[in-house]
Amino acid sequence: DLIASAEISLEAARIRLAGLVGDPAGRIDATASLELPATPPSLPSLLPETLEDRGDYRAARLRATSADEQAAAAGRAWVPTFALSAGAMTADVDGDTAFGYVFGLAVSIPIFDRGKAERARAQAARRAADADARWLERSVPAAVRSAHETMLRRLAQAGTLATAQLALLDDLLRAAETAYREGEGSVVELLDAHQTARDARLRGLELRLEVWDAQLDLWRALGRRPGGST
């Protein structure tokens, strides 16, 4: 039953993975040794440039700059604008074609609308961009610290399980099998040893997955991929 459930989950994962890479009708296997990742860099080396590496923070600062430029443009709306036009024209007069030129000058004098609405919208956009930037400045360092500490703790937890339990499983199973063959142990004890080994190995897999999840959370908080690109 457990094998059948695992096969169902595996088949669903193959289909989802194929859809992610652009092959909705196919199936793709993702294989890896699932070894523990390397220890992340120290926290002081990660924090200084964290915000500048995040695209959402750079976008917030750019929105603030754009709002300033819009407000400056709206502030010039009270200045009268001039429009000069010129062109050629023709007219038929008594069977002849007469040619002439036309010039025009238009002056727009702002009386009621002096850009106040545009300036207010720009100022509101600037405040929103500043609020986004401040929120990131306060939340991102805490998120990085939390993810960094979680990953370190998960690595230590997985390492402890590997050395304290997983490394001893083969000896445990050999001892249980030897005791059973020599009549010193019951079949219940043998099955219990195998179940204990199975549970420990499954827990080891879960911990390795949790370590990789913690690493993803760390790089997501940093706003870049493990290779260093944003």
Side-chain angles (χ1 to χ4, degrees):
D1 178 69
L2 291 175
I3 292 175
S5 296
E7 289 175 345
I8 293 172
S9 299
L10 176 61
E11 193 66 15
R14 287 170 172 167
I15 295 174
R16 286 197 302 270
L17 185 58
L20 290 174
V21 299
D23 185 13
R27 290 172 172 80
I28 293 180
D29 283 305
T31 59
S33 60
L34 201 61
E35 299 297 332
L36 290 174
T39 302
S42 63
L43 191 60
S45 67
L46 293 175
L47 283 177
E49 298 180 358
T50 296
L51 286 173
E52 297 302 328
D53 287 336
R54 291 183 62 104
D56 50 0
Y57 182 76
R58 295 198 302 270
R61 303 317 307 165
L62 289 174
R63 289 198 304 272
T65 302
S66 175
D68 289 340
E69 294 177 353
Q70 292 174 2
R76 294 190 292 270
W78 63 272
V79 179
T81 58
F82 298 88
L84 180 65
S85 60
M89 61 180 298
T90 61
D92 294 330
V93 180
D94 297 333
D96 294 330
T97 300
F99 296 92
Y101 300 93
V102 61
F103 295 92
L105 176 64
V107 180
S108 175
I109 302 176
I111 298 176
F112 300 104
D113 185 7
R114 298 189 177 185
K116 293 182 179 180
E118 289 79 3
R119 188 162 55 251
R121 283 193 291 268
Q123 291 171 350
R126 174 60 192 255
R127 288 194 296 270
D130 287 341
D132 290 341
R134 286 195 302 270
W135 181 83
L136 290 171
E137 290 168 356
R138 295 177 181 178
S139 63
V140 168
V144 171
R145 286 194 297 270
S146 175
H148 188 271
E149 182 176 351
T150 298
M151 184 177 177
L152 291 179
R153 289 178 176 270
R154 289 298 186 192
L155 279 170
Q157 185 181 10
T160 300
L161 180 69
T163 57
Q165 296 187 35
L166 299 182
L168 305 177
L169 291 181
D170 291 338
D171 293 337
L172 170 67
L173 294 176
R174 280 195 298 269
E177 292 169 356
T178 300
Y180 176 71
R181 286 194 301 268
E182 295 179 354
E184 298 178 359
S186 66
V187 67
V188 175
E189 293 172 339
L190 177 61
L191 292 176
D192 184 65
H194 278 279
Q195 183 175 359
T196 300
R198 170 185 172 274
D199 292 342
R201 290 185 175 121
L202 286 176
R203 181 54 182 160
L205 287 174
E206 291 175 355
L207 280 178
R208 286 198 287 272
L209 285 172
E210 290 173 359
V211 172
W212 282 103
D213 286 340
Q215 186 190 57
L216 289 176
D217 290 339
L218 174 60
W219 292 112
R220 189 181 299 115
L222 291 169
R224 61 177 185 265
R225 299 176 182 175
S229 58
T230 57

